[in-house]
Amino acid sequence: MVETKCKYFHPTKKVWQEIEVKIDKKLNFDYSKCTWFAIDGEFTGLYPQRDKSVMWTLASEDEEGNLRVEMLYTFDGDADLKTLTELITSDKEKIVWVGLADLAFLYKDTGVMMTQPIYDIRYASTISRTYTPEHSLDLLVLSLLKFNEDVTNKKVMGQSKEFALPPESWSETLHQYNVNDVIYLKALSDKLKELTVRMEREDLVKAANEVLPNLALLNAKGFYRNIFNFGYKDTDMGSGVVIPSR
């Protein structure tokens, strides 16, 4: 087990806090009483039939409502996936960020598909915030949580080679990068749910989240392109403009 500390800006208290993070080949927290968890994966590539997961980062709350984070290291192929499998098929809300690849690799790792309820932040933002084509994690944190922080830690992208090394050799920057992918998802989901109701589009967000497991299954089986994009060779997802093929 590897233990590290990462920073977290509390979205309601508006103060920086420090949280302890555990990295292990099994999940150690008790999830029996939590009603939600956020999850994000890191992979050696984006093709489940070729690549494999490196780790899964999970954020949730303890009984006192305090945020907690742990990472499940799966790169070596000998991780204990029992608790992870139970979680993704439970009735707890699963919050993801652009979850298509996450669900596909979870299916590869555990042999089961994540079940509802699922809330994909990117789907919800794209549907409810049609006044902008910008839906990056950084901009959502700035726009909805009202603080400016490089939560995606762009400077770490050049260090992605560290994922091939054991976790004890990872830099503090890489640890923070992994944690940032999940620690703000719950707060963002709460804000987006409020916005979706005001926009009267909650039924559309629900429908998008319901179809996500089926799209992930296609992805896991090797159908990486959008098979529903008939007659088009490109799609601008930001503006909704499609370019017909000739």
Side-chain angles (χ1 to χ4, degrees):
M1 178 189 296
V2 176
E3 296 186 0
T4 186
K5 293 183 178 181
C6 295
K7 64 177 183 177
Y8 165 64
F9 188 81
H10 199 288
T12 55
K13 297 179 180 179
K14 303 300 181 183
V15 295
W16 285 100
Q17 298 180 341
E18 194 174 65
I19 55 176
E20 295 184 352
V21 181
K22 298 179 179 179
I23 308 172
D24 202 354
K25 291 187 176 182
K26 64 177 181 178
L27 294 176
N28 295 284
F29 291 149
D30 179 7
Y31 291 87
S32 60
K33 295 184 179 180
C34 70
T35 59
W36 65 271
F37 66 93
I39 185 169
D40 184 80
E42 296 294 341
F43 322 112
T44 58
L46 291 177
Y47 299 99
Q49 291 190 321
R50 180 196 66 189
D51 303 311
K52 62 180 180 178
S53 66
V54 176
M55 58 174 293
W56 296 99
T57 306
L58 287 83
S60 59
E61 290 180 347
D62 61 20
E63 294 184 29
E64 285 74 41
N66 300 311
L67 185 74
R68 60 185 186 179
V69 178
E70 65 176 333
M71 302 180 191
L72 176 64
Y73 185 68
T74 56
F75 182 81
D76 295 333
D78 57 351
D80 183 347
L81 302 176
K82 182 177 184 296
T83 300
L84 180 65
T85 304
E86 293 173 350
L87 279 174
I88 65 172
T89 56
S90 70
D91 59 359
K92 305 179 189 301
E93 183 179 46
K94 302 95 177 168
I95 308 173
V96 295
W97 164 255
V98 193
L100 182 62
D102 292 314
L103 268 67
F105 276 94
L106 281 168
Y107 178 80
K108 178 179 180 179
D109 283 359
T110 66
V112 298
M113 181 56 66
M114 180 183 285
T115 60
Q116 300 293 339
I118 301 169
Y119 196 87
D120 188 304
I121 297 294
R122 183 60 179 264
Y123 281 177
S125 178
T126 303
I127 292 171
S128 62
R129 300 172 69 249
T130 46
Y131 48 82
T132 175
E134 302 295 338
H135 305 284
S136 71
L137 191 56
D138 284 325
L139 289 175
L140 283 176
V141 167
L142 175 61
S143 175
L144 299 179
L145 303 186
K146 306 302 182 184
F147 78 97
N148 189 12
E149 173 71 4
D150 179 18
V151 297
T152 53
N153 234 328
K154 299 178 182 65
K155 60 187 177 182
V156 84
M157 298 311 291
Q159 303 177 20
S160 60
K161 59 181 180 296
E162 291 186 30
F163 281 135
L165 303 174
E168 55 267 22
S169 65
W170 294 352
S171 66
E172 292 183 3
T173 305
L174 191 59
H175 289 311
Q176 187 69 55
Y177 167 77
N178 296 327
V179 169
N180 283 347
D181 279 343
V182 295
I183 55 177
Y184 300 110
L185 296 189
K186 172 57 176 174
L188 288 174
S189 73
D190 291 341
K191 293 292 185 180
L192 285 168
K193 287 174 183 177
E194 294 175 2
L195 178 58
T196 303
V197 170
R198 291 200 300 271
M199 298 293 289
E200 298 182 347
R201 295 173 182 171
E202 59 267 40
D203 56 333
L204 296 177
V205 173
K206 183 175 184 292
N209 287 318
E210 286 178 345
V211 79
L212 181 56
N214 291 330
L215 295 177
L217 181 60
L218 287 168
N219 189 285
K221 296 296 185 180
F223 293 89
Y224 305 119
R225 297 181 64 84
N226 182 1
I227 66 170
F228 302 106
N229 194 21
F230 302 119
Y232 301 98
K233 63 179 180 180
D234 196 11
T235 303
D236 181 349
M237 295 303 292
S239 65
V241 176
V242 291
I243 305 172
S245 58
R246 296 181 182 274

